[in-house]
Amino acid sequence: MPAARSTRPPVVVFATVRNEERDLRAAVAAVLAQDYPGPMVFALAVGPSSDATAAIAAELADADPRVVMVENPTGLTPQGLNIAVQAGIAAQPSSVYLVRTDGHATLPVDYVRVAVDTLERAGADNVGGMMVPVGDGVVQEAVALAMSHPVGLGGGRFHTGGAEGAADTVYLGSFRRATFERLGGYDEHWTRAQDWELNLRLRESGALVWFTPRMRVEYRPRGSLRAVAQQFYKTGRWRREVVSRYPRTASARYLAPPVVAAVVVLGTLVGLVGLVLGSTLLTLALVAPALWVLGEVAAALVSGRGLPLRSWAALPAVLATMHLAWGLGYLRGGPRGR
């Protein structure tokens, strides 16, 4: 007796990866374990890597026909995402929905099913849920807490949770293929912030971006202060590029870190000059960075309850690194020095 045909529409899950040797097997296994009762392929664009990422991806593609591997010669995220989408559509031309994942994200088993159900129930064009950072070790645990608390990354629902409903942007994203293609996919100018920029274009075209806390994705954050500083510095630079191109998107949330960074750096420099010159007036400028440090410590004391003691002790340095690096990156400006 032939098996009953699924009534659920075909889906392409897609990702772009580079140097993901540590997490790639788990990320792919989570996609292949989905309980979605419809046709599904996983398109994986692999950028030039200095580890075994390409070999692992090829091995996984050979082992399961649902995995489609394609090269991303640029190694850049938006190019890789677009390449992966096209490869997935070529492998499954009848696909209706496109679900993004990441090389170091672990999807829960019902993620694709909930994404499709929510797209259809809400009449949305893009749905997404929460990024749930999971730490392992002192710094990573502190970073995970900072990334999921308002004192770290503000009040975005995909970081801190909240009620289901329309949103400005969501984590990763699950799209109606027709809407995604109508807008031309990811703008390849945006090496970073490409999700935010695509969601802005979606909303301005009349499409609906929808947040649901039912979609929760585990994410492994950076594990050292240096890596955190590099990540947030680059993010700050690209946020400046977003505001340069779309001035109406500027808000207190985005402008506060560069203002604080400017005050802290200027106050430190002026205060040090005052110490050298013996000027009490100039030395008083050190009050600004001192107050900033106290503020970061107070924020860590309030938000870090429940962390292991060593991770709690590391939290002030993590918060300070995130905020200062983001602000300095914003002040530096985007790739064209805007």
Side-chain angles (χ1 to χ4, degrees):
M1 180 176 178
R5 294 182 60 187
S6 169
T7 59
R8 305 306 289 144
V11 171
V12 170
V13 181
F14 67 99
T16 185
V17 296
R18 183 180 181 185
N19 293 325
E20 293 287 1
E21 177 181 26
R22 185 190 67 177
D23 300 314
L24 184 56
R25 290 184 187 278
V28 173
V31 172
L32 299 180
Q34 292 295 300
D35 64 6
Y36 182 68
M40 186 184 73
V41 298
F42 183 20
L44 193 61
V46 181
S49 301
S50 58
D51 62 10
T53 296
I56 293 171
E59 174 191 329
L60 295 170
D62 288 341
D64 194 309
R66 292 174 293 172
V67 180
V68 179
M69 176 186 168
V70 63
E71 290 187 1
N72 171 24
T74 69
L76 299 175
T77 299
Q79 286 84 343
L81 293 172
N82 286 335
I83 289 169
V85 167
Q86 293 306 313
I89 291 173
Q92 189 161 262
S94 60
S95 57
V96 176
Y97 298 112
L98 309 172
V99 177
R100 182 184 170 184
T101 186
D102 197 82
H104 45 264
T106 304
L107 301 184
V109 69
D110 64 349
Y111 187 84
V112 173
R113 175 169 53 82
V114 171
V116 172
D117 289 347
T118 305
L119 281 162
E120 296 181 341
R121 172 175 53 82
D125 297 275
N126 180 21
V127 303
M130 292 184 60
M131 178 178 70
V132 184
V134 178
D136 181 17
V138 173
V139 173
Q140 199 175 63
E141 286 179 347
V143 175
L145 184 283
M147 293 183 71
S148 57
H149 195 282
V151 302
L153 292 183
R157 280 181 288 174
F158 71 88
H159 288 302
T160 60
E164 179 175 299
D168 289 342
T169 190
V170 291
Y171 181 52
L172 294 177
S174 300
F175 306 88
R176 293 183 184 272
R177 172 185 166 184
T179 306
F180 184 90
E181 291 183 323
R182 173 169 60 84
L183 292 181
Y186 294 94
D187 185 335
E188 296 184 358
H189 166 74
W190 298 96
T191 303
R192 288 183 179 250
Q194 64 278 151
D195 288 330
W196 194 96
E197 194 275 340
L198 175 56
N199 282 307
L200 176 63
R201 283 189 286 124
L202 281 166
R203 290 186 286 109
E204 291 188 338
S205 75
L208 178 61
V209 179
W210 191 263
F211 167 81
T212 175
R214 291 182 61 198
M215 297 171 67
R216 298 171 60 87
V217 183
E218 289 190 2
Y219 167 86
R220 293 285 175 179
R222 305 300 194 271
S224 71
L225 288 179
R226 180 178 179 181
V228 170
Q230 291 173 338
Q231 177 188 12
F232 280 83
Y233 180 77
K234 292 177 181 178
T235 301
R237 291 191 67 188
W238 279 97
R239 180 57 60 184
R240 172 75 173 274
E241 178 75 357
V242 169
V243 173
S244 296
R245 282 208 175 187
Y246 305 104
R248 63 192 176 281
T249 65
S251 67
R253 175 186 171 191
Y254 295 136
L255 297 179
V259 170
V260 170
V263 170
V264 168
V265 171
L266 185 61
T268 301
L269 293 175
V270 172
L272 291 176
V273 170
L275 288 175
V276 172
L277 298 179
S279 169
T280 302
L281 182 61
L282 293 179
T283 302
L284 285 175
L286 290 173
V287 170
L291 289 175
W292 170 69
V293 169
L294 289 174
E296 298 287 11
V297 171
L301 289 174
V302 171
S303 64
R305 296 171 183 173
L307 278 178
L309 185 59
R310 291 178 62 189
S311 298
W312 195 3
L315 188 56
V318 166
L319 289 172
T321 299
M322 290 168 55
H323 295 154
L324 190 60
W326 200 102
L328 291 175
Y330 189 98
L331 291 172
R332 167 72 185 278
R336 291 190 296 276
R338 293 186 172 186

